[in-house]
Amino acid sequence: MSRLIVVSNRVASITEGKSSAGGLVVGVLDALREMGGIWLGWNGEIETEPVQLPITHSDKNIDFVTVALTQREYDQYYRGFSNGVLWPTFHYRIDLSRYIRRDYTGYRAVNRRFAQLLTSSVKSDDIIWVHDYHLIPFGQACRGLGIKNKIGFFLHIPFPSPSVLRTIPSHRELVESMCAYDLVGFQTQGDVQAFIDYATRYLDATLNGNTLKMGERSIKVGAYPIGIQPDQIKELSKESRYSKPLDALKEGLQHRKLIVSVDRLDYSKGLVERFDAFECLLEGSPQHRGKVTLVQIAPPSRQDVQGYRQIRRQLESTAGRINGKWTELSWTPIRYMNRSYERTLLMSFFRVSQVGLVTPLRDGMNLVAKEYVASQPANDPGVLVLSEFAGAAAEMQQGALMVNPYDVQGMADGLDRALNMPLEERKQRYEHMMGVLKKNNLSVWRDRFLNDLSP
């Protein structure tokens, strides 16, 4: 039976395979345990000198193979090109993209280095599954080293339209690199179409069904929306129901309604626009003043990237201004927490809330939206208010209240409707979305991709 080789920017530790870990980690580890194989990538460490030999540790039938990066590799591959160019551009923030040619050179060099690590351990029938934007050229580097195995690539973030992608000077090389894979998967059909549009228009590729033909190569393309394990999430949401943090949250609310948002601190998440919409709700619907609280949890990320320091300052300033204007002696409108919480506790926060507010400006999928729904009690579910620019919108638009995150008044109207929605409508919406989540769960995502990649 073929082994599975997973390649990602970061490699999860064995302890992260428990039920409280993120969905992707659980899904990938389950596949690795079933098939046996290798998980290859960066270990998160930065060394002063290049370390040639990888660190390998094994757990039953899985080998975890990791390497450290040098400071230069981190600056060029990770901080420079991956998160300074690809992340903002793929999220349609070309104003924040900063292209430096040496960063792109370093990006490709790290991908070659990762590919070289495989040459001594890959077997002829191994299946290789590569994840996300950090590793776009990995497959091409493998081909250059003579690796002929089936290699699939899954992009977790959005794929931009050709006109946006072409703002990256190396756009053609990037898409040509993607064509070295046997299967290229995206979150939504819109992402698939954007990739096909570029390949057919600028690389003279031809499309036959779901296969792109470019010269001698045939590349299967498709949408594989990543899911969650809804039953597992529901159980997680009950685990912390007697915890001190949840008791403290309930005590602070004093029976007020709760709107909850959880996002990594990132300019793509629409956090400032979300705060503005909440203020617009208070201004336009005075009946909600003192009766509802917005809890925003935004753990910091990539703090050494300039754009992230700016969004944190802007968010703190906006929250402070709104609270300064509307706070009463017994009520603070926005409770903004720039910290992390255990995943089980977050699910319990979702469970006791009346509204889940998920309004990214652009997102590949956004599993928080799915986790929010799965956490709800079936007899009294909350309402999901969801951005139409989240990948999850393609599956959940019949159950969520859809909003445009660039329309502050429209988001405020959505919040007002959610807060006033009758129980029967909430139940109908919840049941519809739970049906979708169970049909397209994490195992289905994994198995569909690997089945399409397998010979």
Side-chain angles (χ1 to χ4, degrees):
M1 182 177 176
S2 300
R3 296 187 309 169
L4 176 63
I5 298 177
V6 172
V7 188
S8 60
N9 174 60
R10 291 293 302 273
V11 175
S13 67
I14 297 169
T15 57
E16 289 184 83
K18 58 187 181 181
S19 62
S20 59
L24 173 62
V25 172
V26 174
V28 167
L29 276 176
D30 282 350
L32 279 167
R33 289 192 181 108
E34 187 176 314
M35 300 175 66
I38 298 170
W39 195 341
L40 169 70
W42 176 36
N43 60 15
E45 300 293 326
I46 299 174
E47 303 286 353
T48 53
E49 297 294 330
V51 179
Q52 298 301 324
L53 292 177
I55 300 168
T56 302
H57 64 272
S58 301
D59 179 55
K60 297 177 182 175
N61 60 345
I62 307 172
D63 292 330
F64 295 83
V65 180
T66 62
V67 291
L69 297 178
T70 65
Q71 187 64 53
R72 176 182 289 182
E73 287 173 331
Y74 173 82
D75 288 341
Q76 294 179 351
Y77 152 78
Y78 181 76
R79 193 164 68 94
F81 192 73
S82 291
N83 291 312
V85 177
L86 292 179
W87 179 271
T89 304
F90 280 36
H91 288 87
Y92 287 74
R93 289 301 304 271
I94 57 178
D95 57 309
L96 297 176
S97 177
R98 297 291 179 268
Y99 180 87
I100 300 173
R101 187 174 294 178
R102 66 174 176 270
D103 288 347
Y104 177 61
T105 301
Y107 170 77
R108 295 196 74 96
V110 170
N111 272 268
R112 282 195 302 275
R113 184 179 165 209
F114 283 179
Q116 286 165 350
L117 293 174
L118 269 191
T119 55
S120 60
S121 54
V122 66
K123 298 177 182 177
S124 60
D125 61 344
D126 287 342
I127 295 170
I128 304 172
W129 190 8
V130 184
H131 289 269
D132 227 0
Y133 62 104
H134 314 82
L135 299 170
I136 288 174
F138 181 85
Q140 190 178 57
C142 287
R143 302 303 184 203
L145 293 168
I147 296 174
K148 295 181 171 58
N149 300 58
K150 289 286 186 180
I151 312 179
F153 176 78
F154 184 76
L155 184 68
H156 291 260
I157 67 174
F159 191 83
S161 65
S163 60
V164 172
L165 181 62
R166 290 174 62 233
T167 63
I168 301 175
S170 52
H171 59 90
R172 184 183 181 94
E173 291 178 26
L174 287 169
V175 182
E176 286 176 341
S177 295
M178 293 176 76
C179 293
Y181 293 103
D182 298 288
L183 172 63
V184 179
F186 301 91
Q187 297 277 22
T188 70
Q189 194 58 44
D191 297 324
V192 172
Q193 192 58 53
F195 178 73
I196 290 172
D197 287 349
Y198 184 98
T200 53
R201 191 181 307 177
Y202 298 105
L203 299 182
D204 295 325
T206 56
L207 182 66
N208 183 12
N210 66 342
T211 302
L212 277 172
K213 187 79 173 175
M214 201 177 87
E216 297 297 311
R217 286 206 54 76
S218 295
I219 309 102
K220 284 197 288 187
V221 294
Y224 302 85
I226 190 170
I228 60 171
Q229 299 291 21
D231 293 335
Q232 185 184 88
I233 296 295
K234 186 169 288 295
E235 291 307 310
L236 283 179
S237 73
K238 300 175 185 177
E239 285 186 13
S240 297
R241 61 185 181 275
Y242 301 119
S243 66
K244 289 182 179 179
L246 186 61
D247 287 343
L249 176 63
K250 290 178 178 178
E251 185 178 346
L253 287 171
Q254 297 179 350
H255 304 294
R256 296 184 183 91
K257 290 188 175 181
L258 170 61
I259 301 170
V260 67
S261 290
V262 177
D263 303 90
R264 197 166 45 76
L265 189 62
D266 190 280
Y267 47 75
S268 68
K269 301 300 182 181
L271 300 177
V272 174
E273 292 82 358
R274 188 178 305 167
F275 282 10
D276 289 341
F278 185 65
E279 182 179 31
C280 185
L281 172 73
L282 299 179
E283 287 179 336
S285 303
Q287 70 272 21
H288 293 304
R289 297 174 195 168
K291 303 291 178 61
V292 61
T293 294
L294 169 62
V295 169
Q296 174 68 62
I297 298 170
S301 68
R302 303 173 189 155
Q303 297 180 75
D304 57 350
V305 179
Q306 179 62 27
Y308 293 85
R309 294 194 292 270
Q310 291 174 352
I311 189 65
R312 180 172 180 172
R313 286 194 297 268
Q314 187 180 6
L315 201 57
E316 289 169 349
S317 172
T318 304
R321 177 184 59 77
I322 294 171
N323 281 339
K325 180 178 180 180
W326 296 101
T327 293
E328 300 172 1
L329 289 175
S330 60
W331 172 62
T332 302
I334 297 177
R335 299 168 84 175
Y336 166 54
M337 287 164 280
N338 192 221
R339 54 161 293 185
S340 300
Y341 284 92
E342 285 285 334
R343 191 157 176 260
T344 53
L345 192 57
L346 290 177
M347 300 306 122
S348 69
F349 290 170
F350 291 164
R351 187 174 180 84
V352 301
S353 67
Q354 283 66 52
V355 179
L357 187 55
V358 183
T359 54
L361 303 178
R362 184 77 58 166
D363 220 334
M365 177 51 63
N366 198 299
L367 293 180
V368 168
K370 297 185 174 186
E371 290 171 342
Y372 179 81
V373 173
S375 298
Q376 296 307 299
N379 63 335
D380 188 20
V383 180
L384 175 64
V385 178
L386 180 63
S387 164
E388 63 186 79
F389 299 117
E395 298 171 87
M396 308 180 78
Q397 57 186 333
Q398 299 301 316
L401 287 182
M402 304 304 301
V403 295
N404 185 325
Y406 296 96
D407 179 4
V408 169
Q409 182 64 60
M411 282 196 287
D413 292 344
L415 286 173
D416 181 56
R417 184 180 171 192
L419 291 165
N420 292 312
M421 187 177 292
L423 177 61
E424 282 309 307
E425 183 179 353
R426 285 190 277 126
K427 283 183 176 180
Q428 289 173 4
R429 289 174 176 271
Y430 163 80
E431 289 165 4
H432 176 84
M433 289 188 288
M434 280 298 287
V436 172
L437 295 183
K438 289 178 178 180
K439 180 181 177 183
N440 297 330
N441 67 31
L442 182 66
S443 299
V444 170
W445 167 77
R446 179 194 69 210
D447 294 344
R448 276 190 61 225
F449 189 94
L450 291 177
N451 287 340
D452 286 353
L453 178 59
S454 299

